[in-house]
Amino acid sequence: MRGESLCILERERTVIAFYVTGTDTGIGKTLASCALLHVLRGRGLRAAGMKPVASGCAWIESSWKNEDALALRAAGTPGISYADINPFAFEHPLAPELAAQDAGTQVTLAPILAARDRLLAQADALVVEGVGGWAAPLSRDLMQADLARALDLPVVLVVGLRLGCLNHALLSARAIVADGLPLAGWVASHVDPAMERVEDNLGMLRERLPAPCWGVLPHAPGADPAMLAAHLHVPEHV
């Protein structure tokens, strides 16, 4: 079924699930993921966000917690455990491999897959947010492609709209496909309000990226993801 559908069959029910990556760090992956959760919840689905690996955490209520993972929890259906949303939470804001070394551990698949299974038992839709750009490693032996493949999920690419976005988007899409993962769609995130010829750039992206555009997020610092959901859609087909 992988590569042909946005949905996976889980215990005789259909679950919408996908892996969100970006053209770089700081281009709006979390905002897009949260807005997509609101789109799914707007359909009456129980939707859960997941941030398998997060570095740069604060000590809150007796555990390390990450701002992006907390945002995903707030955007999803209430009542989901933070530990399942973010199984690997590291204090230092470093590349995951380095942050894990500082914590005396290593990112591995088993805890992530176990958390995924617990989330799927509670949700009809799952939005998994990666770290940084597609080629950002999770550990010495684990790339994001390995994680998305183990999760058996198609990929959604968030494209940060700024100078250089065409190159970053096309290279990212090429790498995703070369890694054997289906690119289900892409979301544009308007991170640079001074960017010139935005519509022309969007047109070039639509022509060249091998997947449909799921919407364009405006430049709106501090915006409520629930309000931004109106700018996005998740395809109905399964």
Side-chain angles (χ1 to χ4, degrees):
M1 182 173 290
R2 175 161 35 109
E4 299 177 357
S5 171
L6 292 178
C7 299
I8 57 178
L9 193 63
E10 208 281 327
R11 297 179 183 174
E12 299 184 352
R13 62 190 177 91
T14 301
V15 179
I16 298 174
F18 43 85
Y19 188 96
V20 178
T21 191
T23 50
D24 201 352
T25 190
I27 49 78
K29 287 192 308 297
T30 301
L31 187 60
S33 297
C34 289
L36 288 166
L37 282 167
H38 283 288
V39 172
L40 294 164
R41 290 183 66 188
R43 295 184 187 174
L45 299 174
R46 297 173 301 161
M50 187 182 192
K51 181 83 172 177
V53 182
S55 54
C57 297
W59 189 255
I60 301 172
E61 297 176 350
S62 303
S63 65
W64 294 111
K65 291 184 174 65
N66 173 263
E67 181 180 8
D68 293 345
L70 288 170
L72 291 170
R73 183 173 69 169
T77 298
I80 295 175
S81 166
Y82 180 88
D84 289 338
I85 292 171
N86 180 206
F88 286 99
F90 302 122
E91 175 185 6
H92 298 147
L94 303 168
E97 182 176 348
L98 299 177
Q101 287 176 5
D102 287 354
T105 188
Q106 181 176 342
V107 176
T108 56
L109 286 175
I112 297 173
L113 297 179
R116 182 275 314 269
D117 290 344
R118 290 190 293 270
L119 291 172
L120 288 179
Q122 307 170 68
D124 307 306
L126 181 63
V127 178
V128 182
E129 182 192 342
V131 297
W134 179 249
L138 300 175
S139 75
R140 182 182 183 88
D141 303 312
L142 186 66
M143 299 296 291
Q144 290 192 80
D146 301 317
L147 175 57
R149 196 177 295 115
L151 292 169
D152 199 20
L153 296 181
V155 179
V156 176
L157 177 66
V158 179
V159 178
L161 291 180
R162 61 189 179 196
L163 189 63
C165 67
L166 293 170
N167 176 64
H168 292 159
L170 296 175
L171 285 176
S172 296
R174 183 180 298 176
I176 291 165
V177 173
D179 283 333
L181 277 301
L183 182 63
W186 58 280
V187 171
S189 175
H190 200 163
V191 295
D192 180 6
M195 182 183 182
E196 298 182 1
R197 307 286 291 273
V198 172
E199 291 303 321
D200 289 339
N201 277 270
L202 283 170
M204 295 169 72
L205 287 166
R206 288 189 174 100
E207 289 175 0
R208 290 167 170 81
L209 285 174
C213 179
W214 287 13
V216 180
L217 293 175
H219 181 74
D224 182 353
M227 301 298 294
L228 293 178
H231 295 273
L232 302 180
H233 72 282
V234 176
E236 295 282 353
H237 66 275
V238 294

